[in-house]
């Protein structure tokens, strides 16, 4: 368990380190203050994973450094029962002239393993890294992937109670990454806590139980990853917005406590309806059937190049499918003020039966996926699309139906005896 | 009243405590050696070859070729022994202090990534320099034995003498080390300072040949007391003056306590700057 209470950190910015001494001598201020963290509190229980997201300069790295004890906070307390190790120190102290085995001892000692502990675990570490006989070669002969494999193997075998993971695990190839993820999962199941810092919002939603959003050293929000990620993306959209009218965070009628939607208040959203092809309002859809999603709104201003987008996400917040009229190369007529419009999306639901959430957005002048000149309205998870099993189609594994055909044939040119 | 006494020494004790449960400094000390000669065939045998050749050069050139003699001695080896018995401890001392004074910058890549107890970090230099010292001294004693030099029972005092010297080296090195983080120029000042300090210590010359006023200045040099003690043991075969050595030890412990308070005040800034 790790508990952080009211932690704050100011950095004093000096022109040169010697000015710190001048300050002591002359008793005069020579620095500018920079607040890296401001009153941060949270708790991660055993077996829990906490995600930390935020843009560059939000204070993520400072927080990780404080948690691992590299720097000392100005105020507040951190209590951990056990050892904190992290992937930010991956391979610290590696000497490239020395063999992998010698480096296991050095790096292992650095991250707090006792010598006999390393004696005991070194075979497991070598086996996990799959370096085999290379372990007796100097690290300079390794590829970067091999070095990372060794570093990760040491780190995960150090038996921490809390593991700090910085950014995506870019350890080796896809196979080894899978292996690392399994190992991390195992670690979590055995009661280890993880603090995961990333820009990869999907990874945060898949891995974490809770998340916090940091911005300029302040903890903006704490909650379930889906809400936090929405808030994070909304805030990025607000920053990227180029329109005259300011775009703001608004609450939507579905979940009041989740203020993750954005709007310039220039568009009045009226309703969302889900129809079948015969225009009947439906509450659920069978998979492989077509639906029509209808969004109606009224604009208070002229939108010269409107773009309409939808996003379908699963219950964990992972994007399943998203598109907009710009990506579909559909040029829309300008939206005139004071007139009611409805936008219809017709599509075939080739999805595994489950509940999916629908996000709707209206923007001006599209530039790419989730990139526009003006972000006018974005309503996260405004409706649920309930997909149930269609009796006429076979069940399958995974999230989508790829409609395969299977055939078995005899080989035309059979292997001749004696020629293998 | 024992508890009160213990609390008085708390700063010193808390400085020493992490030392014994800290495998890291031993690993760093070991690496200090293996790293220096890694990749070479003879490996760490080189750390024997260097002192051996150095000692031979001093003994042969100064004793035999230049015919330098100590006042009151007729042995051709005596000046060589005088020089080496002062120079080897001095080298251990000077290396420990200069290397400790830059240790926080030198080990920046580790300190910036992992929590490390900073006061114990210079201890690895102490250990590594001590190994060099022991190796060199053993070679020196062997050569002395071969040249038929007389040994005295005072030789047993050398570990005590060396310990006092290195406690002083640690106290000074850690003190300078904290300030080098803020004032990098101090690194050069330390290097220069040691050049001057060397000539203010009776290593190549004999204390007694100095004029009276110079002798009175040198008395205040702690290293003068230490090097003289080595000379007492090796050359004059007499008991060193324990009064001066005790002063050096007490002064060093005092400096460690000061180090501790400075460290408590500056630790946050040191870690921020590194």
């Amino acid at each position: 368990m790790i508990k952080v209470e009211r932690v704050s950190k100011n950095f004093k910015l000096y022109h040169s380190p010697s000015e710190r001494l001048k300050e002591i001598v002359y008793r005069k201020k020579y620095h500018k203050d920079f607040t890296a963290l401001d009153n941060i509190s949270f708790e991660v229980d055993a077996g829990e994973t906490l995600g930390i997201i935020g843009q560059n300069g939000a204070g993520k790295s400072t927080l990780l450094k404080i948690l691992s004890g590299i720097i000392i906070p100005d105020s507040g307390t951190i209590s951990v029962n056990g050892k904190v190790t992290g992937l930010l120190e991956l391979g610290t102290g590696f000497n490239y002239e020395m063999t992998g085995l010698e480096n296991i001892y050095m790096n292992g000692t650095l991250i707090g393993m006792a010598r006999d502990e390393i004696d005991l675990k070194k075979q497991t570490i070598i086996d996990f890294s799959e370096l085999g006989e290379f372990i007796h070669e100097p690290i300079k002969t390794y590829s970067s992937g091999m070095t990372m494999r060794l570093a990760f193997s040491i780190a995960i075998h150090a038996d921490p109670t809390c593991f700090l993971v910085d950014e995506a695990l870019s350890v080796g190839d896809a196979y080894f990454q899978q292996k690392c993820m399994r190992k991390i999962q195992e670690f979590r199941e055995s009661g280890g806590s993880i603090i995961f810092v990333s820009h990869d919002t999907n990874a945060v939603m898949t891995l974490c139980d809770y998340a916090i959003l940091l911005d300029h050293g302040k903890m903006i929000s704490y909650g379930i990853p889906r809400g936090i990620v929405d808030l994070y993306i909304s805030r990025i959209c607000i920053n990227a917005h180029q329109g005259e009218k300011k775009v703001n965070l608004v609450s939507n009628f579905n979940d009041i406590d989740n203020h993750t939607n954005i709007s310039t208040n220039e568009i009045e959203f009226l309703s969302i309806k889900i129809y079948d092809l015969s225009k009947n309002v439906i509450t659920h859809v069978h998979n492989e059937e077509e639906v029509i999603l209808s969004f109606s709104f009224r604009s208070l201003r002229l939108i010269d190049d409107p773009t309409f987008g939808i996003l379908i996400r699963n219950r964990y917040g992972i994007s399943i499918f998203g598109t907009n009229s710009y990506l579909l190369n559909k040029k829309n007529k300008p939206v005139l003020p004071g007139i009611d419009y409805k936008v219809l999306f017709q599509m075939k639901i080739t999805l595994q039966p489950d509940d999916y959430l629908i996000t709707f957005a209206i923007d001006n002048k599209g530039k790419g996926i989730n990139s526009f000149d003006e972000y006018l309205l974005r309503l996260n998870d405004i409706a649920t699309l309930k997909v149930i099993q269609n009796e006429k189609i076979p069940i399958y594994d995974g999230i989508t139906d790829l409609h395969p055909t299977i055939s078995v044939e005899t080989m035309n040119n059979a292997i001749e005896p004696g020629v293998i | 009243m024992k508890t009160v006494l213990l609390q008085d020494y708390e700063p010193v004790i808390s400085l020493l405590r992490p030392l014994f449960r800290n495998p890291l400094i031993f690993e760093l000390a070991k690496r200090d050696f293996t790293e220096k000669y890694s990749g070479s065939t003879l490996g760490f045998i080189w750390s024997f070859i260097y002192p051996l050749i150095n000692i031979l050069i001093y003994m042969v050139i100064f004793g035999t070729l230049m015919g330098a003699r100590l006042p009151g001695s007729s042995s051709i080896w005596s000046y060589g022994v005088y020089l080496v018995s002062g120079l080897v401890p001095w080298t251990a001392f000077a290396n420990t202090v200069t290397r400790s004074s830059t240790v926080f910058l030198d080990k920046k890549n580790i300190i910036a990534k992992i929590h490390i107890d900073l006061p114990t970090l210079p201890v690895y230099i102490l250990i590594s320099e001590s190994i060099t010292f022991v190796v060199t001294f053993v070679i020196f004693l062997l050569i002395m034995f071969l040249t038929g030099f007389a040994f005295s029972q005072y030789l047993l005092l050398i570990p005590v003498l060396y310990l006092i010297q290195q406690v002083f080296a640690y106290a000074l090195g850690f003190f300078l080390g904290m300030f080098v983080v803020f004032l990098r120029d101090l690194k050069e000042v330390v290097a220069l300072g040691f050049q001057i300090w060397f000539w203010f210590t009776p290593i190549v010359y004999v204390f007694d040949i100095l004029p009276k006023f110079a002798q009175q200045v040198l008395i205040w040099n702690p290293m003068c007391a230490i090097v003289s003690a080595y000379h007492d043991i090796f050359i004059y075969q007499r008991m060193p003056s324990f009064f001066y050595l005790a002063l050096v030890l007490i002064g060093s412990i005092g400096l460690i306590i000061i180090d501790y308070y400075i460290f408590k005040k500056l630790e946050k800034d040191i870690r921020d700057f590194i």
Side-chain angles (χ1 to χ4, degrees), chain B residues 129-143:
Chain B
E129 288 299 329
S130 299
I131 293 167
T132 314
F133 174 79
V134 169
V135 169
T136 318
F137 235 71
V138 167
I139 292 171
F140 176 50
L141 290 177
L142 273 174
I143 293 172

Side-chain angles (χ1 to χ4, degrees), chain A residues 314 319-320 350-353 356 396-401:
Chain A
N314 69 9
S319 304
I320 303 297
T350 56
L351 290 172
Q352 183 73 268
Y356 296 89
Y396 57 90
D397 193 13
I399 53 170
T400 186
D401 194 345

